[in-house]
Amino acid sequence: MHEVIDKLQELSEQVPVPLDLPDFDQLVEVEEEILIPLPAELKEYLLHASDVVYGSLEPVTVADPGSHTYLPEVAAYAWSIGLPRDLIPICQVGDDFYCISQEGEIYFWQDYQLSEDTWESFWQWVEDVWLEA
């Protein structure tokens, strides 16, 4: 995990308005807002690497409620169009979503259904999908 975070930080693009990392209290607030606990690997990402801007994918964030990647807003939309409520979106691609289960497995919800694409962990998804996009 630490190697993947280091790689993300190295690749992070310079942007005019950099993203902030949240504190633990902000994660708790988000969990209370979406009424579902965040899996451990998603918490690690949010606390240590959600300030990374890289490539064409924009994973969720929790530090700025006004951001288009703000997890509660992304989740509310995803759930409203049919994403199963027990899955938490981690990245929106149009009306399709990469999402995480409570066990930490990543799924791709495409065309209003779960595809056969899965990843064992958040960090595997980062390496196989985000860093390759």
Side-chain angles (χ1 to χ4, degrees), residues 35-104:
L35 303 173
I36 188 170
L38 300 175
E41 288 185 348
L42 180 56
K43 285 182 184 180
E44 291 169 14
Y45 157 73
L46 291 168
L47 288 170
H48 303 291
S50 63
D51 61 340
V52 169
V53 175
Y54 175 75
S56 60
L57 295 180
E58 296 180 285
V60 294
T61 59
V62 297
D64 179 5
S67 172
H68 67 284
T69 57
Y70 186 58
L71 176 56
E73 295 299 320
V74 174
Y77 176 68
W79 293 330
S80 78
I81 63 169
L83 180 73
R85 185 68 174 80
D86 61 325
L87 297 175
I88 299 171
I90 59 167
C91 186
Q92 182 174 358
V93 183
D95 279 345
D96 300 331
F97 295 87
Y98 292 96
C99 48
I100 191 168
S101 69
Q102 286 300 301
E103 295 75 32

